[in-house]
């Protein structure tokens, strides 16, 4: 039995190829009753995004970032199944719950 559910839109099958080609996907995944909002990127698209960010800002930041070789259902499921019962899952923020914030003066 799977202890997670990927919240794909109903018509995701119609444009799944486009997501893989684009190289990024932000999606909610329910794991053991908690919702996580993951940002999946392939390495090439992530590099482009970082360069774009750094062009206009002195930093680049993405919450719950996961880099996979290709952004597709198979790789997303592999990632979830690989971390679901490990301490690594706790390194990701749960949607709607407070995070630990650092404050600088």
């Amino acid at each position: 039995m799977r202890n997670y559910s990927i919240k794909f839109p109903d018509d995701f099958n119609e444009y799944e190829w486009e997501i893989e080609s684009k190289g990024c996907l932000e999606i909610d995944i329910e794991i053991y009753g908690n919702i996580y909002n993951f940002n999946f990127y392939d390495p090439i698209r992530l590099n482009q995004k970082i360069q774009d960010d750094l062009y206009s800002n002195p930093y680049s930041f993405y919450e719950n970032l996961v880099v996979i070789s290709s952004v597709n259902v198979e790789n997303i499921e592999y990632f979830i199944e690989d971390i679901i019962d490990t301490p690594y899952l706790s390194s990701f923020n749960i949607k709607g719950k407070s995070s630990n914030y650092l404050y600088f003066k």
Side-chain angles (χ1 to χ4, degrees):
M1 181 176 156
R2 289 179 15 170
N3 295 314
Y4 68 92
S5 173
I6 303 171
K7 305 298 182 183
F8 291 115
D10 291 336
D11 60 346
F12 184 75
N13 290 339
E14 295 175 20
Y15 62 91
E16 180 180 353
W17 64 271
E18 189 177 336
I19 297 297
E20 188 169 356
S21 177
K22 186 177 176 185
C24 61
L25 176 65
E26 181 178 346
I27 194 156
D28 288 344
I29 300 176
E30 182 176 352
I31 303 172
Y32 292 122
N34 293 313
I35 305 292
Y36 297 81
N37 181 259
F38 286 102
N39 287 291
F40 291 98
Y41 278 85
D42 70 27
I44 293 170
R45 181 66 180 107
L46 179 60
N47 186 47
Q48 292 169 342
K49 181 71 171 141
I50 291 170
Q51 293 303 316
D52 288 348
D53 288 352
L54 294 177
Y55 180 75
S56 58
N57 296 299
Y59 60 86
S60 182
F61 175 81
Y62 305 97
E63 186 175 17
N64 291 356
L65 173 66
V66 178
V67 181
I68 52 182
S69 60
S70 183
V71 179
N72 59 43
V73 174
E74 180 181 353
N75 288 343
I76 291 170
E77 288 178 342
Y78 180 84
F79 164 75
I80 297 300
E81 291 170 8
D82 202 46
I83 68 151
I84 194 167
D85 291 319
T86 71
Y88 295 118
L89 183 60
S90 65
S91 67
F92 295 97
N93 291 327
I94 296 171
K95 192 173 181 177
K97 287 197 176 181
S98 300
S99 301
N100 294 326
Y101 292 102
L102 295 175
Y103 295 96
F104 297 95
K105 289 185 178 184

